[in-house]
Short mmCIF file of all heavy atoms in Angstrom, two decimals:
data_model
loop_
_atom_site.label_atom_id
_atom_site.label_comp_id
_atom_site.label_asym_id
_atom_site.label_seq_id
_atom_site.Cartn_x
_atom_site.Cartn_y
_atom_site.Cartn_z
N TRP B 103 192.38 -115.70 -130.00
CA TRP B 103 193.54 -116.53 -130.42
C TRP B 103 194.96 -115.84 -130.28
O TRP B 103 195.87 -116.62 -129.97
CB TRP B 103 193.38 -117.04 -131.91
CG TRP B 103 192.37 -118.20 -131.99
CD1 TRP B 103 191.13 -118.20 -132.43
CD2 TRP B 103 192.64 -119.59 -131.60
NE1 TRP B 103 190.58 -119.44 -132.38
CE2 TRP B 103 191.44 -120.30 -131.88
CE3 TRP B 103 193.78 -120.23 -131.02
CZ2 TRP B 103 191.42 -121.66 -131.55
CZ3 TRP B 103 193.64 -121.63 -130.80
CH2 TRP B 103 192.50 -122.24 -131.08
N ALA B 104 194.98 -114.60 -130.44
CA ALA B 104 196.27 -113.86 -130.19
C ALA B 104 196.66 -114.09 -128.82
O ALA B 104 197.84 -114.36 -128.48
CB ALA B 104 195.99 -112.42 -130.55
N SER B 105 195.68 -113.93 -127.88
CA SER B 105 196.02 -114.14 -126.38
C SER B 105 196.50 -115.51 -126.11
O SER B 105 197.46 -115.78 -125.33
CB SER B 105 194.88 -113.65 -125.46
OG SER B 105 193.91 -114.50 -125.57
N VAL B 106 195.84 -116.57 -126.76
CA VAL B 106 196.26 -117.92 -126.59
C VAL B 106 197.62 -118.16 -127.12
O VAL B 106 198.49 -118.85 -126.45
CB VAL B 106 195.25 -118.87 -127.24
CG1 VAL B 106 195.86 -120.28 -127.35
CG2 VAL B 106 193.98 -118.94 -126.47
N LEU B 107 197.98 -117.55 -128.21
CA LEU B 107 199.27 -117.72 -128.85
C LEU B 107 200.35 -117.08 -127.94
O LEU B 107 201.50 -117.64 -127.83
CB LEU B 107 199.34 -117.23 -130.24
CG LEU B 107 198.55 -118.08 -131.23
CD1 LEU B 107 198.47 -117.42 -132.64
CD2 LEU B 107 199.09 -119.45 -131.35
N VAL B 108 200.01 -115.83 -127.49
CA VAL B 108 200.96 -115.18 -126.60
C VAL B 108 201.30 -115.98 -125.42
O VAL B 108 202.46 -116.17 -124.98
CB VAL B 108 200.41 -113.81 -126.32
CG1 VAL B 108 201.18 -113.21 -125.08
CG2 VAL B 108 200.55 -112.87 -127.43
N SER B 109 200.24 -116.52 -124.79
CA SER B 109 200.50 -117.38 -123.54
C SER B 109 201.21 -118.66 -123.90
O SER B 109 202.14 -119.00 -123.08
CB SER B 109 199.13 -117.67 -122.87
OG SER B 109 198.60 -118.87 -123.43
N ALA B 110 201.01 -119.29 -125.11
CA ALA B 110 201.70 -120.47 -125.41
C ALA B 110 203.18 -120.13 -125.62
O ALA B 110 204.07 -120.82 -125.16
CB ALA B 110 201.09 -121.07 -126.69
N GLY B 111 203.49 -119.01 -126.29
CA GLY B 111 204.84 -118.62 -126.53
C GLY B 111 205.49 -118.34 -125.27
O GLY B 111 206.70 -118.73 -125.04
N THR B 112 204.81 -117.62 -124.34
CA THR B 112 205.43 -117.23 -123.04
C THR B 112 205.73 -118.53 -122.32
O THR B 112 206.87 -118.65 -121.64
CB THR B 112 204.55 -116.39 -122.23
OG1 THR B 112 204.10 -115.31 -123.04
CG2 THR B 112 205.27 -115.88 -120.98
N GLY B 113 204.82 -119.47 -122.26
CA GLY B 113 204.99 -120.70 -121.52
C GLY B 113 206.12 -121.51 -122.14
O GLY B 113 207.00 -122.05 -121.31
N PHE B 114 206.23 -121.63 -123.46
CA PHE B 114 207.32 -122.35 -124.04
C PHE B 114 208.68 -121.67 -123.73
O PHE B 114 209.64 -122.33 -123.43
CB PHE B 114 207.14 -122.38 -125.57
CG PHE B 114 208.09 -123.19 -126.29
CD1 PHE B 114 208.09 -124.62 -126.14
CD2 PHE B 114 208.96 -122.66 -127.12
CE1 PHE B 114 209.02 -125.41 -126.78
CE2 PHE B 114 209.86 -123.44 -127.82
CZ PHE B 114 209.84 -124.81 -127.63
N TYR B 115 208.76 -120.36 -123.79
CA TYR B 115 210.04 -119.60 -123.51
C TYR B 115 210.52 -119.93 -122.05
O TYR B 115 211.59 -120.23 -121.79
CB TYR B 115 209.82 -118.16 -123.75
CG TYR B 115 211.04 -117.36 -123.59
CD1 TYR B 115 212.00 -117.24 -124.50
CD2 TYR B 115 211.34 -116.74 -122.33
CE1 TYR B 115 213.15 -116.51 -124.36
CE2 TYR B 115 212.53 -115.96 -122.15
CZ TYR B 115 213.41 -115.93 -123.18
OH TYR B 115 214.56 -115.20 -122.96
N GLY B 116 209.47 -119.89 -121.14
CA GLY B 116 209.77 -120.11 -119.76
C GLY B 116 210.30 -121.52 -119.49
O GLY B 116 211.10 -121.82 -118.59
N TYR B 117 209.74 -122.42 -120.33
CA TYR B 117 210.24 -123.79 -120.22
C TYR B 117 211.63 -124.01 -120.72
O TYR B 117 212.38 -124.78 -120.13
CB TYR B 117 209.24 -124.71 -121.02
CG TYR B 117 209.51 -126.19 -121.12
CD1 TYR B 117 209.43 -127.00 -119.94
CD2 TYR B 117 209.96 -126.69 -122.31
CE1 TYR B 117 209.74 -128.30 -120.10
CE2 TYR B 117 210.31 -128.03 -122.37
CZ TYR B 117 210.12 -128.86 -121.31
OH TYR B 117 210.49 -130.16 -121.43
N LYS B 118 211.99 -123.25 -121.78
CA LYS B 118 213.33 -123.52 -122.37
C LYS B 118 214.38 -122.73 -121.62
O LYS B 118 215.50 -123.24 -121.44
CB LYS B 118 213.25 -122.93 -123.89
CG LYS B 118 212.65 -123.88 -124.79
CD LYS B 118 213.48 -125.11 -125.02
CE LYS B 118 212.76 -126.12 -125.88
NZ LYS B 118 213.53 -127.38 -125.87
N VAL B 119 214.09 -121.48 -121.20
CA VAL B 119 215.12 -120.69 -120.57
C VAL B 119 215.03 -120.78 -119.08
O VAL B 119 213.93 -120.80 -118.58
CB VAL B 119 215.00 -119.24 -121.07
CG1 VAL B 119 216.02 -118.31 -120.44
CG2 VAL B 119 215.13 -119.16 -122.51
N GLU B 120 216.12 -120.74 -118.36
CA GLU B 120 216.01 -120.84 -116.91
C GLU B 120 215.44 -119.52 -116.27
O GLU B 120 215.44 -118.54 -116.87
CB GLU B 120 217.37 -121.22 -116.23
CG GLU B 120 218.48 -120.26 -116.40
CD GLU B 120 218.74 -119.50 -115.06
OE1 GLU B 120 218.41 -120.07 -113.98
OE2 GLU B 120 219.21 -118.38 -115.08
N PHE B 121 214.97 -119.66 -114.98
CA PHE B 121 214.04 -118.75 -114.49
C PHE B 121 214.53 -117.31 -114.46
O PHE B 121 213.90 -116.35 -114.94
CB PHE B 121 213.65 -119.16 -113.08
CG PHE B 121 212.60 -118.26 -112.46
CD1 PHE B 121 211.38 -118.12 -112.96
CD2 PHE B 121 213.00 -117.55 -111.29
CE1 PHE B 121 210.41 -117.32 -112.41
CE2 PHE B 121 212.15 -116.69 -110.69
CZ PHE B 121 210.77 -116.57 -111.27
N GLU B 122 215.71 -117.10 -113.84
CA GLU B 122 216.12 -115.72 -113.63
C GLU B 122 216.38 -115.01 -114.98
O GLU B 122 216.03 -113.78 -115.09
CB GLU B 122 217.54 -115.70 -112.89
CG GLU B 122 217.36 -116.04 -111.46
CD GLU B 122 216.62 -114.96 -110.68
OE1 GLU B 122 216.77 -113.78 -110.98
OE2 GLU B 122 215.80 -115.39 -109.79
N LYS B 123 216.80 -115.65 -115.97
CA LYS B 123 217.13 -114.95 -117.23
C LYS B 123 215.84 -114.65 -117.95
O LYS B 123 215.71 -113.86 -118.82
CB LYS B 123 218.00 -115.81 -118.16
CG LYS B 123 219.48 -115.83 -117.73
CD LYS B 123 220.28 -116.28 -119.00
CE LYS B 123 221.65 -116.85 -118.50
NZ LYS B 123 221.55 -117.99 -117.63
N SER B 124 214.83 -115.52 -117.76
CA SER B 124 213.65 -115.42 -118.59
C SER B 124 212.67 -114.39 -118.05
O SER B 124 211.65 -114.04 -118.65
CB SER B 124 212.88 -116.82 -118.65
OG SER B 124 212.32 -117.09 -117.26
N LYS B 125 212.89 -113.79 -116.86
CA LYS B 125 211.92 -112.96 -116.13
C LYS B 125 211.47 -111.76 -117.05
O LYS B 125 210.24 -111.57 -117.18
CB LYS B 125 212.51 -112.45 -114.88
CG LYS B 125 212.22 -113.46 -113.76
CD LYS B 125 212.22 -112.77 -112.38
CE LYS B 125 213.54 -112.72 -111.76
NZ LYS B 125 213.47 -112.58 -110.32
N PRO B 126 212.36 -111.04 -117.70
CA PRO B 126 211.86 -109.85 -118.56
C PRO B 126 210.89 -110.22 -119.69
O PRO B 126 209.82 -109.64 -119.77
CB PRO B 126 213.11 -109.23 -119.12
CG PRO B 126 214.22 -109.84 -118.45
CD PRO B 126 213.82 -111.08 -117.77
N VAL B 127 211.13 -111.38 -120.32
CA VAL B 127 210.32 -111.74 -121.46
C VAL B 127 209.00 -112.27 -120.92
O VAL B 127 207.86 -111.98 -121.47
CB VAL B 127 210.95 -112.85 -122.26
CG1 VAL B 127 210.04 -113.38 -123.30
CG2 VAL B 127 212.23 -112.28 -122.87
N ILE B 128 208.99 -112.94 -119.75
CA ILE B 128 207.76 -113.52 -119.22
C ILE B 128 206.90 -112.31 -118.64
O ILE B 128 205.70 -112.32 -118.80
CB ILE B 128 208.01 -114.50 -118.06
CG1 ILE B 128 208.74 -115.66 -118.74
CG2 ILE B 128 206.75 -114.89 -117.42
CD1 ILE B 128 208.63 -116.93 -117.93
N TRP B 129 207.54 -111.25 -118.13
CA TRP B 129 206.75 -110.11 -117.75
C TRP B 129 206.08 -109.48 -118.99
O TRP B 129 204.86 -109.12 -118.89
CB TRP B 129 207.66 -109.03 -117.10
CG TRP B 129 207.78 -109.09 -115.64
CD1 TRP B 129 208.91 -109.32 -114.91
CD2 TRP B 129 206.79 -108.86 -114.63
NE1 TRP B 129 208.64 -109.31 -113.55
CE2 TRP B 129 207.31 -109.09 -113.40
CE3 TRP B 129 205.45 -108.60 -114.79
CZ2 TRP B 129 206.61 -108.98 -112.21
CZ3 TRP B 129 204.68 -108.48 -113.55
CH2 TRP B 129 205.28 -108.68 -112.31
N ALA B 130 206.84 -109.32 -120.11
CA ALA B 130 206.25 -108.78 -121.31
C ALA B 130 205.12 -109.60 -121.74
O ALA B 130 204.06 -109.06 -122.09
CB ALA B 130 207.28 -108.64 -122.36
N GLY B 131 205.35 -110.89 -121.80
CA GLY B 131 204.25 -111.84 -122.28
C GLY B 131 202.99 -111.75 -121.40
O GLY B 131 201.90 -111.66 -121.89
N LEU B 132 203.21 -111.64 -120.05
CA LEU B 132 202.09 -111.59 -119.19
C LEU B 132 201.27 -110.30 -119.39
O LEU B 132 200.03 -110.38 -119.42
CB LEU B 132 202.70 -111.76 -117.72
CG LEU B 132 201.53 -111.77 -116.57
CD1 LEU B 132 200.88 -113.12 -116.65
CD2 LEU B 132 202.16 -111.58 -115.31
N ILE B 133 202.03 -109.18 -119.48
CA ILE B 133 201.31 -107.86 -119.62
C ILE B 133 200.50 -107.98 -120.98
O ILE B 133 199.52 -107.47 -121.08
CB ILE B 133 202.25 -106.79 -119.52
CG1 ILE B 133 202.75 -106.76 -118.08
CG2 ILE B 133 201.66 -105.45 -119.93
CD1 ILE B 133 203.74 -105.62 -117.83
N LEU B 134 201.15 -108.47 -122.04
CA LEU B 134 200.57 -108.46 -123.37
C LEU B 134 199.23 -109.37 -123.25
O LEU B 134 198.18 -109.02 -123.75
CB LEU B 134 201.48 -109.02 -124.45
CG LEU B 134 201.04 -108.92 -125.89
CD1 LEU B 134 200.86 -107.49 -126.20
CD2 LEU B 134 202.10 -109.61 -126.75
N TYR B 135 199.30 -110.44 -122.63
CA TYR B 135 198.17 -111.30 -122.42
C TYR B 135 197.09 -110.65 -121.70
O TYR B 135 195.90 -110.68 -122.13
CB TYR B 135 198.62 -112.59 -121.70
CG TYR B 135 197.41 -113.54 -121.44
CD1 TYR B 135 197.00 -114.40 -122.43
CD2 TYR B 135 196.85 -113.50 -120.20
CE1 TYR B 135 195.93 -115.18 -122.10
CE2 TYR B 135 195.79 -114.39 -120.01
CZ TYR B 135 195.30 -115.23 -120.90
OH TYR B 135 194.28 -116.02 -120.68
N ILE B 136 197.38 -109.90 -120.62
CA ILE B 136 196.36 -109.22 -119.89
C ILE B 136 195.73 -108.09 -120.73
O ILE B 136 194.44 -107.96 -120.74
CB ILE B 136 197.01 -108.58 -118.50
CG1 ILE B 136 197.39 -109.79 -117.61
CG2 ILE B 136 196.00 -107.72 -117.85
CD1 ILE B 136 198.05 -109.27 -116.35
N LEU B 137 196.58 -107.38 -121.49
CA LEU B 137 195.94 -106.36 -122.35
C LEU B 137 194.99 -106.99 -123.40
O LEU B 137 193.89 -106.48 -123.57
CB LEU B 137 197.12 -105.62 -123.06
CG LEU B 137 197.84 -104.65 -122.23
CD1 LEU B 137 198.96 -104.06 -123.01
CD2 LEU B 137 196.98 -103.54 -121.68
N LEU B 138 195.37 -108.08 -123.98
CA LEU B 138 194.63 -108.63 -125.08
C LEU B 138 193.25 -109.17 -124.39
O LEU B 138 192.19 -109.04 -124.98
CB LEU B 138 195.28 -109.83 -125.74
CG LEU B 138 196.33 -109.40 -126.71
CD1 LEU B 138 197.18 -110.64 -127.13
CD2 LEU B 138 195.73 -108.79 -127.95
N THR B 139 193.33 -109.79 -123.24
CA THR B 139 192.20 -110.39 -122.59
C THR B 139 191.20 -109.24 -122.24
O THR B 139 189.98 -109.34 -122.46
CB THR B 139 192.44 -111.20 -121.36
OG1 THR B 139 193.57 -112.10 -121.73
CG2 THR B 139 191.35 -111.99 -120.87
N VAL B 140 191.82 -108.17 -121.56
CA VAL B 140 190.89 -107.08 -121.25
C VAL B 140 190.28 -106.37 -122.49
O VAL B 140 189.19 -106.02 -122.48
CB VAL B 140 191.70 -106.01 -120.39
CG1 VAL B 140 190.91 -104.72 -120.32
CG2 VAL B 140 192.06 -106.52 -119.03
N ALA B 141 191.04 -106.25 -123.52
CA ALA B 141 190.47 -105.73 -124.76
C ALA B 141 189.35 -106.63 -125.32
O ALA B 141 188.30 -106.08 -125.69
CB ALA B 141 191.58 -105.56 -125.90
N GLN B 142 189.50 -107.96 -125.28
CA GLN B 142 188.49 -108.78 -125.73
C GLN B 142 187.21 -108.64 -124.85
O GLN B 142 186.18 -108.54 -125.46
CB GLN B 142 188.98 -110.29 -125.68
CG GLN B 142 188.07 -111.25 -126.29
CD GLN B 142 188.54 -112.55 -126.02
OE1 GLN B 142 189.52 -112.80 -125.34
NE2 GLN B 142 187.76 -113.57 -126.46
N ALA B 143 187.32 -108.54 -123.58
CA ALA B 143 186.22 -108.48 -122.72
C ALA B 143 185.50 -107.15 -122.90
O ALA B 143 184.31 -107.08 -122.98
CB ALA B 143 186.68 -108.56 -121.28
N LEU B 144 186.31 -106.03 -123.02
CA LEU B 144 185.65 -104.80 -123.24
C LEU B 144 184.92 -104.72 -124.58
O LEU B 144 183.84 -104.15 -124.67
CB LEU B 144 186.70 -103.67 -123.26
CG LEU B 144 187.31 -103.37 -121.86
CD1 LEU B 144 188.39 -102.28 -121.99
CD2 LEU B 144 186.24 -102.92 -120.89
N TYR B 145 185.52 -105.30 -125.61
CA TYR B 145 184.89 -105.32 -126.88
C TYR B 145 183.59 -106.11 -126.81
O TYR B 145 182.54 -105.62 -127.36
CB TYR B 145 185.83 -105.96 -127.96
CG TYR B 145 185.28 -105.87 -129.31
CD1 TYR B 145 185.54 -104.76 -130.16
CD2 TYR B 145 184.50 -106.92 -129.91
CE1 TYR B 145 185.00 -104.74 -131.42
CE2 TYR B 145 183.97 -106.89 -131.14
CZ TYR B 145 184.22 -105.78 -131.95
OH TYR B 145 183.76 -105.70 -133.17
N ALA B 146 183.56 -107.22 -126.20
CA ALA B 146 182.40 -108.04 -126.14
C ALA B 146 181.26 -107.33 -125.35
O ALA B 146 180.11 -107.42 -125.62
CB ALA B 146 182.67 -109.40 -125.52
N TYR B 147 181.68 -106.61 -124.29
CA TYR B 147 180.70 -105.93 -123.42
C TYR B 147 180.11 -104.70 -124.08
O TYR B 147 178.94 -104.46 -124.12
CB TYR B 147 181.28 -105.73 -122.04
CG TYR B 147 180.27 -105.13 -121.09
CD1 TYR B 147 179.25 -106.17 -120.60
CD2 TYR B 147 180.25 -103.86 -120.68
CE1 TYR B 147 178.34 -105.64 -119.70
CE2 TYR B 147 179.28 -103.49 -119.76
CZ TYR B 147 178.32 -104.35 -119.29
OH TYR B 147 177.46 -103.86 -118.37
N PHE B 148 181.06 -103.85 -124.56
CA PHE B 148 180.55 -102.45 -125.03
C PHE B 148 180.20 -102.45 -126.51
O PHE B 148 179.22 -101.96 -126.90
CB PHE B 148 181.72 -101.44 -124.74
CG PHE B 148 181.79 -101.09 -123.32
CD1 PHE B 148 182.92 -101.50 -122.65
CD2 PHE B 148 180.79 -100.53 -122.60
CE1 PHE B 148 183.11 -101.10 -121.29
CE2 PHE B 148 180.91 -100.18 -121.30
CZ PHE B 148 181.97 -100.57 -120.58
N VAL B 149 181.08 -102.97 -127.35
CA VAL B 149 180.86 -102.81 -128.70
C VAL B 149 179.94 -103.89 -129.28
O VAL B 149 178.91 -103.56 -129.98
CB VAL B 149 182.21 -102.96 -129.62
CG1 VAL B 149 181.97 -102.80 -131.03
CG2 VAL B 149 183.15 -101.83 -129.12
N GLU B 150 180.05 -105.11 -128.88
CA GLU B 150 179.25 -106.27 -129.34
C GLU B 150 177.93 -106.23 -128.66
O GLU B 150 176.88 -106.28 -129.28
CB GLU B 150 179.93 -107.57 -129.32
CG GLU B 150 179.22 -108.59 -130.14
CD GLU B 150 180.02 -109.91 -130.00
OE1 GLU B 150 181.10 -109.91 -129.62
OE2 GLU B 150 179.36 -110.92 -130.31
N GLY B 151 177.96 -106.24 -127.37
CA GLY B 151 176.71 -106.18 -126.59
C GLY B 151 175.81 -107.42 -126.87
O GLY B 151 176.34 -108.52 -126.82
N ASP B 152 174.57 -107.08 -127.11
CA ASP B 152 173.65 -108.18 -127.27
C ASP B 152 173.51 -108.62 -128.74
O ASP B 152 172.66 -109.42 -129.09
CB ASP B 152 172.20 -107.73 -126.87
CG ASP B 152 172.07 -107.74 -125.40
OD1 ASP B 152 172.80 -108.47 -124.75
OD2 ASP B 152 171.25 -106.87 -124.95
N VAL B 153 174.36 -108.04 -129.62
CA VAL B 153 174.12 -108.23 -131.11
C VAL B 153 174.24 -109.64 -131.41
O VAL B 153 175.32 -110.31 -130.99
CB VAL B 153 175.03 -107.36 -131.87
CG1 VAL B 153 175.02 -107.78 -133.32
CG2 VAL B 153 174.74 -105.92 -131.72
N VAL B 154 173.36 -110.21 -132.26
CA VAL B 154 173.41 -111.58 -132.55
C VAL B 154 173.68 -111.73 -134.11
O VAL B 154 174.33 -112.75 -134.50
CB VAL B 154 171.99 -112.26 -132.27
CG1 VAL B 154 171.79 -113.50 -133.03
CG2 VAL B 154 171.90 -112.48 -130.72
#
Side-chain angles (χ1 to χ4, degrees):
Chain B
W103 278 107
S105 66
V106 166
L107 290 175
V108 162
S109 84
T112 310
F114 186 66
Y115 184 82
Y117 175 70
K118 281 290 174 192
V119 177
E120 64 103 27
F121 181 65
E122 285 296 324
K123 286 201 204 57
S124 68
K125 277 205 270 199
V127 174
I128 297 199
W129 269 116
L132 185 70
I133 292 177
L134 191 60
Y135 176 80
I136 292 175
L137 286 175
L138 284 171
T139 311
V140 168
Q142 187 190 0
L144 290 178
Y145 185 87
Y147 188 70
F148 287 114
V149 178
E150 193 180 344
D152 284 331
V153 170
V154 162

